[in-house]
């Protein structure tokens, strides 16, 4: 039995605790539209409504209040579970499962203040507690899980550690938002009773971060991985090279990073990942069941490489560094054998550094390379990737090149059909869908969004959410679709807070398209569930855009942000 932790009252739920400090009512009134010029009567009414909103406890989390929506939810109102201070987490004797149990404990300890020891499932069973069970139930697939909440205990069952991990993310969302607090909160930690059976719709659920236009250090990338993990993403695509910067150290071509990584858009500081940095990112992602897909963009978008090695340039002359945002002007010489040595060396080192199955070769916007030359170039690079034992991914512009076993095209167009892509799919290619007009998270939300682009239109939350990957491209058989990916290009994105502002709240919309069965799809339900995440992000110190389409809880009832720590980096099995 643990001693009671010292806890602060939950500012999200002041009833039964001490009142929130300061004058939140006054603040809420000031924030209410139209109150600055209202009559005394209107002001009093507004004050009353604001006070009621502040004093009402937040509605309890319901079993179905999960993003992405689970496949099956069966609530049982009589089976709510109150987490006890002496809860023990019992887990199957498997190192990967044990790591998930430790991650769960690490998620719950700060806010609850409970010790939450992790023990082997074969240890004598106390009543209650949380159990993580690995089973050979093949119905759950590679990533599915079952969650059972009863008055007596909580059990997550899965066939894999990845399934247990996704179940843990669901469990996290079923606790009150205060669970995101870094310091103990006085709270009855109640989980809604019932069962969830959950499996992903698609095997590929990704996001892309462009670290080339602006460079983001390792800790920023780890934070993005934390956000992906919350929403059951399983791929992080890193756009590692572009005209403005080369961001990964390549031992056999050292000037790529040293020279080509020195700058960024608008003269911002450059930078690059050492191979140790990159391995750290890959390992942190793997601990969260996310695979990193590295991209070396070829043959275009290569100005940074050309600044470092003139021999790769078609005219043999190194261009100056580029800090603008135009595209399509640069390319490595497709007629030079040295170019293919360079590609083989770079992809060879990346293949060794990346345990995942995929290498992304870019292929977009090589406007200056004639179509025939381009297709032969892509075919050679596809061959290099195959020779490394990896599966090639490219932007959909690589479609005209001959088929290569398993090749994957990433669709980023804005049209609803594309005969060249359809033909490549007919020849065997698979698709990842990143339609610019729905999934591009560098698009502005609305005309007033201070950063971002609008070439693919404005992408508000509803636009990010309301499309169907299975039917999006006419003429493409739904079986060819591997999943979805949300790219964030960073020409105008310079800080972690700006990354978060562009990702949230749209990232969960893409997550739901990738994970949830179509039968659960519905804008009204989604925006209501999404609204509950605002207080979670705020409590965790995560920036987000307060999209007016989402019925966020009143700002005054949300506590001030804290400085965010990373989720625990190393996940070590329990000692002893
Ligand atoms: C197009 S999408 C690009 C990128 C830009 C992006 C800006 C794609 C494969 N290429 O080079 O950053 O638009 O939205």
């Amino acid at each position: 039995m643990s001693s009671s932790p010292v806890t602060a009252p939950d500012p999200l739920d002041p009833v039964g605790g001490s009142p929130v400090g300061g004058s939140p009512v006054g603040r809420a009134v000031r924030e209410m539209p139209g109150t600055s010029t209202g009559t005394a009567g209107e002001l009093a009414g507004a004050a009353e409504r604001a006070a009621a909103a502040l004093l009402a406890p937040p509605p309890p989390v319901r079993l179905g209040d999960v993003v992405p929506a689970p496949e099956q939810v069966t609530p049982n109102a009589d089976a709510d579970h109150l987490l006890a201070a002496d809860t023990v987490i019992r887990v199957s004797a498997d190192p990967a499962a044990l790591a998930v149990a430790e991650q769960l404990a690490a998620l719950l300890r700060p806010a609850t203040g409970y010790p939450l020891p992790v023990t082997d499932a074969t240890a004598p069973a106390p009543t209650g507690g949380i159990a993580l069970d690995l089973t050979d139930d093949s119905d759950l697939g590679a990533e599915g899980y079952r969650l059972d909440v009863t008055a007596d205990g909580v059990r997550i069952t899965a066939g894999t550690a990845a399934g247990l991990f996704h179940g843990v993310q669901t469990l996290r969302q079923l606790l009150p938002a205060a669970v995101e607090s870094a310091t103990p909160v006085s709270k009855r930690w109640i989980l809604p009773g019932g069962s969830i059976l959950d499996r992903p719709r698609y095997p590929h659920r990704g996001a892309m971060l462009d670290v080339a236009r602006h460079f983001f250090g390792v800790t920023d990338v780890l934070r993005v991985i934390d956000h992906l993990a919350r929403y059951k993403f399983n791929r992080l695509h890193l756009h590692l090279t572009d005209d403005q910067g080369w961001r990964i150290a390549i031992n056999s071509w050292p000037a790529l990073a040293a020279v080509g990584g020195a700058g960024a858009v608008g003269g911002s500081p450059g930078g690059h990942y050492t191979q140790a940095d990159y391995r750290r990112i890959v390992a942190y992602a793997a601990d969260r069941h996310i695979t990193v897909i590295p991209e070396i963009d070829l043959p275009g978008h290569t100005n940074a490489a050309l600044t470092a090695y003139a021999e790769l340039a078609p005219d043999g002359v190194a261009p100056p560094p580029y800090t603008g945002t135009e595209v399509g002007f640069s390319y490595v010489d497709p007629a030079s054998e040295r170019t293919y040595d360079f590609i083989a060396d770079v992809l060879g080192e990346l293949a060794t550094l990346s345990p995942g199955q995929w290498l992304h070769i870019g292929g977009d916007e090589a406007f200056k390379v004639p179509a025939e030359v381009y297709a032969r170039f892509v075919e050679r690079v596809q061959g290099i990737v195959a020779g490394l034992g990896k599966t090639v991914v490219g932007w959909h512009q690589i479609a005209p090149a001959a088929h290569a076993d398993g090749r994957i095209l990433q669709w980023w167009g804005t049209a609803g059909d594309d005969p060249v892509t359809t033909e490549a799919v007919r020849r065997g290619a698979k698709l990842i869908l990143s339609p610019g007009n729905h999934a591009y998270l560098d698009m502005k939300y609305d005309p007033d969004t201070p950063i971002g682009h609008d070439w693919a239109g404005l992408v508000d939350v509803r636009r990010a959410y309301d499309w169907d990957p299975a039917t999006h491209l006419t003429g493409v058989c739904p079986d060819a679709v591997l999943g979805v990916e949300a790219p964030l290009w960073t020409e105008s994105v310079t800080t972690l807070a700006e990354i978060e502002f562009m990702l949230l709240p749209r990232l969960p919309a893409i997550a739901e398209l990738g994970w949830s069965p179509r039968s659960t799809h519905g804008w009204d339900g989604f925006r209501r569930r999404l609204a509950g995440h605002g207080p979670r992000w705020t409590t965790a110190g995560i920036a987000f855009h307060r999209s007016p389409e989402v019925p966020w809880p009143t700002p005054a009832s949300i506590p001030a942000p804290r400085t965010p720590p990373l989720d625990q980096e190393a996940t070590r099995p329990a000692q002893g």
Side-chain angles (χ1 to χ4, degrees):
M1 185 62 105
S2 66
S3 57
S4 257
V6 179
T7 57
D10 176 6
L12 285 171
D13 181 7
V15 171
S18 19
V20 191
S23 173
V25 175
R27 193 165 72 233
V29 171
R30 280 194 303 280
E31 286 168 1
M32 294 190 94
T35 49
S36 57
T37 56
T39 63
E42 282 166 349
L43 280 171
E48 208 170 299
R49 284 192 300 280
L54 279 166
L55 292 174
V61 184
R62 296 179 308 179
L63 192 67
D65 285 349
V66 176
V67 178
E71 184 178 315
Q72 277 176 40
V73 178
T74 315
N76 179 352
D78 298 326
D80 288 359
H81 181 81
L82 174 66
L83 213 62
D86 60 354
T87 295
V88 171
I89 301 177
R90 299 171 63 245
V91 59
S92 299
D94 170 274
L98 206 56
V100 178
E102 286 295 347
Q103 287 168 314
L104 171 61
L107 282 177
L108 303 186
R109 280 179 191 136
T112 62
Y114 300 163
L116 300 169
V118 174
T119 71
D120 200 290
T122 53
T127 50
I130 302 176
L132 302 190
D133 281 352
L134 272 186
T135 65
D136 48 15
D137 181 349
S138 56
D139 277 0
L140 293 171
E143 295 187 284
Y145 67 92
R146 208 189 138 87
L147 172 68
D148 296 292
V149 178
T150 66
D152 289 339
V154 178
R155 179 175 303 272
I156 301 174
T157 314
T160 60
L164 292 178
F165 184 81
H166 296 317
V168 161
Q169 301 310 317
T170 294
L171 174 59
R172 178 186 197 180
Q173 290 188 24
L174 292 175
L175 285 162
V179 73
E180 300 294 337
S181 170
T183 50
V185 176
S186 162
K187 187 97 203 149
R188 282 164 57 79
W189 300 101
I190 295 173
L191 284 153
S195 299
I196 288 178
L197 174 70
D198 205 8
R199 286 169 298 204
R201 182 182 187 191
Y202 290 113
H204 183 110
R205 305 177 308 280
M208 187 208 82
L209 183 63
D210 169 9
V211 294
R213 270 51 179 274
H214 280 98
F215 179 65
F216 299 93
V218 173
T219 52
D220 289 351
V221 179
L222 303 192
R223 270 278 282 201
V224 169
I225 293 171
D226 288 343
H227 302 339
L228 299 184
R230 277 176 191 266
Y231 297 106
K232 302 186 174 77
F233 283 90
N234 62 358
R235 308 275 185 263
L236 171 65
H237 167 185
L238 284 178
H239 183 76
L240 289 168
T241 65
D242 214 303
D243 291 317
Q244 300 84 350
W246 183 284
R247 307 301 183 199
I248 175 79
I250 300 295
N251 295 335
S252 50
W253 295 71
L256 288 170
V259 175
V265 164
S268 292
H272 68 269
Y273 307 121
T274 64
Q275 294 202 349
D277 290 338
Y278 181 79
R279 284 186 203 277
R280 184 171 164 217
I281 292 170
V282 166
Y284 189 91
D287 280 347
R288 285 147 188 81
H289 302 277
I290 293 171
T291 303
V292 172
I293 302 180
E295 178 188 350
I296 301 296
D297 203 347
L298 297 163
H301 290 273
T302 39
N303 191 78
L306 304 182
T307 63
Y309 292 101
E311 63 201 277
L312 301 173
D315 58 4
V317 177
Y322 184 65
T323 58
T325 60
E326 296 300 317
V327 296
F329 57 90
S330 62
Y331 61 104
V332 289
D333 185 0
S336 160
E337 281 308 302
R338 196 71 185 126
T339 293
Y340 301 96
D341 295 342
F342 152 78
I343 294 170
D345 290 343
V346 168
L347 294 182
E349 288 192 34
L350 262 188
T352 307
L353 290 170
S354 308
Q357 181 189 335
W358 304 276
L359 291 181
H360 199 306
I361 59 166
D364 57 316
E365 300 172 323
F367 298 145
K368 295 219 168 143
V369 183
E372 266 309 302
V373 176
Y374 172 87
R376 300 295 85 78
F377 172 89
V378 170
E379 285 159 11
R380 271 193 81 168
V381 180
Q382 289 183 161
I384 292 171
V385 174
L388 292 165
K390 300 284 186 182
T391 300
V392 72
V393 189
W395 297 107
H396 73 263
Q397 275 73 22
I398 70 166
H403 183 65
D405 218 19
R407 78 174 182 149
I408 299 169
L409 310 188
Q410 184 167 6
W411 170 257
W412 62 278
T414 54
D417 70 342
D418 179 56
V420 186
T421 299
T422 310
E423 167 58 18
V425 170
R426 199 196 54 71
R427 285 185 278 130
K430 301 286 188 201
L431 279 185
I432 296 166
L433 289 180
S434 303
N437 49 342
H438 294 281
Y440 262 36
L441 302 190
D442 61 318
M443 291 303 126
K444 292 173 182 283
Y445 290 92
D446 58 53
D448 298 329
T449 307
I451 52 175
H453 299 123
D454 60 6
W455 65 259
L458 300 170
V459 176
D460 60 15
V461 185
R462 182 160 195 172
R463 204 164 173 77
Y465 182 71
D466 260 345
W467 58 286
D468 183 358
T471 56
H472 186 73
L473 272 186
T474 320
V476 165
C477 145
D479 290 351
V481 176
L482 294 178
V484 294
E485 194 172 297
L488 180 61
W489 301 98
T490 59
E491 287 93 337
S492 67
V493 176
T494 60
T495 63
L496 175 65
E498 289 175 353
I499 290 177
E500 292 178 335
F501 175 85
M502 296 306 262
L503 292 185
L504 300 171
R506 293 181 290 194
L507 191 67
I510 304 298
E512 185 142 318
L513 291 174
W515 179 278
S516 307
R518 193 64 191 170
S519 57
T520 64
H521 192 88
W523 167 246
D524 282 334
F526 175 69
R527 70 190 188 118
R528 189 192 55 73
R529 282 179 287 116
L530 185 59
H533 290 242
R536 287 172 196 275
W537 298 328
T538 303
T539 307
I542 301 167
F544 67 101
H545 172 58
R546 281 192 163 269
S547 303
E549 317 151 80
V550 180
W552 309 108
T554 77
S557 68
I558 297 173
R562 64 180 169 84
T563 311
L566 283 169
D567 283 358
Q568 175 207 35
E569 179 162 357
T571 49
R572 307 252 171 270
Q575 302 296 310

